[in-house]
Amino acid sequence: QVQLVESGGGLVQAGGSLRLSCAASGRTVSDYTMGWFRQAPGKEREPVAAINWSGSSTHYADSVKGRFTISRDNAKNTVHLQMNSLKPEDTGVYYCAATRGVVGTSEVGYRYWGQGTQVTVSS
């Protein structure tokens, strides 16, 4: 079992920044590819970013490339998502998730999920 808890969400104006954190317990996150997903109001959950166990491979949704950065600190069992130049369309609930699969694994392959943290970007 892996427990994931997100934090760092909040209300921010367009153009601002937020840093989301995901704290893991139960097993070391070094065993997993970690991903961030988000769900906007009225829309399905979508992938945002992913990072492999060593941090050597990452993937970003086209909509966030150049603005978001995913990182991990295996020694602290944490994963982060630095979000810069935020836009209103970035609004949604952001979820941290873990999979034994590779970067590029679809949502169904993620076994463990956090409870989500709300990000609201105002115009």
Side-chain angles (χ1 to χ4, degrees), residues 6-11 17-21 83 117-119:
E6 303 95 334
S7 62
L11 175 64
S17 298
L18 285 173
R19 183 175 174 84
L20 305 184
S21 297
M83 306 186 295
T117 185
Q118 177 70 43
V119 172

Side-chain angles (χ1 to χ4, degrees), residues 50-111:
I51 186 168
N52 74 339
W53 70 272
S54 69
S56 63
S57 180
T58 59
H59 180 267
Y60 297 93
D62 288 342
S63 60
V64 307
K65 286 181 179 177
R67 299 188 299 119
F68 290 12
T69 302
I70 188 171
S71 62
R72 66 191 303 161
D73 186 340
N74 291 337
K76 296 182 178 179
N77 259 10
T78 57
V79 182
H80 303 281
L81 185 68
Q82 179 67 45
M83 306 186 295
N84 299 326
S85 301
L86 283 162
K87 304 175 181 180
E89 50 262 45
D90 294 319
T91 293
V93 178
Y94 282 69
Y95 298 90
C96 177
T99 179
R100 288 291 187 96
V102 298
V103 169
T105 294
S106 63
E107 179 178 340
V108 71
Y110 281 80
R111 183 174 181 179

